[in-house]
Amino acid sequence: MKNNLVKISALITLSLTLLVSCGKGSEEPKQDQPAATTQTEEAAPPQVEEQAPAPLAENELVIEGNDNMQYNLTELKAKAGKPITLTLKHVGKASKKDMGHNLVILKPGTDVEAFAQKAMKDVASDYVPQNDPSIIAHTKLLGGGESDTITFTIDKKGTYDFLCSFPGHYSMMKGKLIIE
Ligand code: ZN
């Protein structure tokens, strides 16, 4: 019995020693790069700063399109009568030809589906019919990694449809811009 106990406690001691040495082992590589660790910690504030712009300035809108034919937002809000700055970012990798994205804001009352059907035929103008009276503003057509920022003002409060007019995208890529 005593022998067994001794063996068990010896095993426990051994296990603990292993655990401790394992722990030390995994810490050691970090100690090899104390500067890097410190830098990472010091680099943390800029990361916070990157996240901080989420509450953007008034009338500053940012929306993303991806390779899965999706916007990251389906609702945007802005104030009437003041310039709106809208940035569309294509965060994917696909080319403009395969998975192009734009953002077209339409006047209230526009038949979105009819507009999309008309727009997708307008290859020469990147699927944005020129001088179309139903268009309030639009970005250019983007490929992966590109972005475009536009500025426009909407005076009238209300809900405005927006969509990507690339062929076949509007069923997935659409949303509402609410002007308050
Ligand atoms: Zn698109």
Side-chain angles (χ1 to χ4, degrees), residues 8-10 12 30 34 46 58 71 87 100 125 134 140-141 176:
I8 287 167
S9 62
I12 291 170
K30 282 181 191 168
E58 187 180 75
Y71 288 130
T87 300
S125 61
S134 56
K140 62 184 181 186
L141 189 67
K176 307 278 185 191

Side-chain angles (χ1 to χ4, degrees), residues 63-73 88-95 98-101 142-145 164 169 172-173:
I63 181 168
E64 297 173 356
N66 64 23
D67 282 346
N68 295 322
M69 208 197 293
Q70 291 167 326
Y71 288 130
N72 67 328
L73 299 171
L88 172 66
K89 291 180 185 175
H90 190 321
V91 296
K93 289 179 178 159
S95 71
D98 293 332
M99 181 59 73
H101 297 317
L142 307 174
C164 173
H169 284 199
M172 293 271 290
M173 301 186 72

Side-chain angles (χ1 to χ4, degrees), residues 75-140:
E75 190 181 287
L76 299 171
K77 278 186 184 177
K79 293 268 186 287
K82 292 177 181 175
I84 297 166
T85 304
L86 184 149
T87 300
L88 172 66
K89 291 180 185 175
H90 190 321
V91 296
K93 289 179 178 159
S95 71
K96 183 169 104 170
K97 215 174 165 185
D98 293 332
M99 181 59 73
H101 297 317
N102 64 11
L103 190 147
V104 183
I105 298 164
L106 299 172
K107 281 185 183 161
T110 305
D111 182 333
V112 180
E113 181 155 356
F115 173 85
Q117 293 295 336
K118 182 173 65 176
M120 73 168 68
K121 292 173 191 149
D122 210 333
V123 184
S125 61
D126 277 349
Y127 314 109
V128 177
Q130 298 301 289
N131 305 315
D132 189 310
S134 56
I135 298 174
I136 291 177
H138 69 89
T139 69
K140 62 184 181 186

